[in-house]
Amino acid sequence: MPESHDFFVATDPETARAQVRDALSRQGYAVDDADQGALRATRGSMGLTLLIGGLANDRTFHTRLDVQIMVTPDGRTVARLLRGSGKSALKGGAIGISRGNRAFEEAANAIHATFTQAGVLTDSFAS
């Protein structure tokens, strides 16, 4: 399972940041500004997740994602989706890992669709 997903887009960093914020908000995430222009997206309840672990549903299972917005030396804007610092296995065992993986992939798909619909996605890859 990839730990990050890079989206290369033909738009300025502020527009890319707004499009990522919109995509993640539509997935039920609360999106906040982080250091150096990054975004932090969280969904679900940490307390409930720690209490019932993998029994929490997809919307109540606590998930955190980070997005870095960068500009490459050749001037391309990159939005890098990263798994958050929360450990899914500690919050729900094998079911927690599965929920964390699914949340990451759904977020990557939502961002990909948003950039594609805007006509700005030039390349993407997972690593």
Side-chain angles (χ1 to χ4, degrees), residues 32-44:
D32 299 307
D33 294 326
D35 294 335
Q36 301 176 350
L39 297 171
R40 182 179 309 112
T42 56
R43 179 174 75 184

Side-chain angles (χ1 to χ4, degrees), residues 8-32:
F8 292 83
V9 293
T11 190
D12 64 275
E14 287 306 314
T15 301
R17 185 175 291 104
Q19 290 170 325
V20 169
R21 183 185 302 274
D22 182 57
L24 294 176
S25 293
R26 283 186 274 121
Q27 291 292 307
Y29 288 91
V31 183
D32 299 307

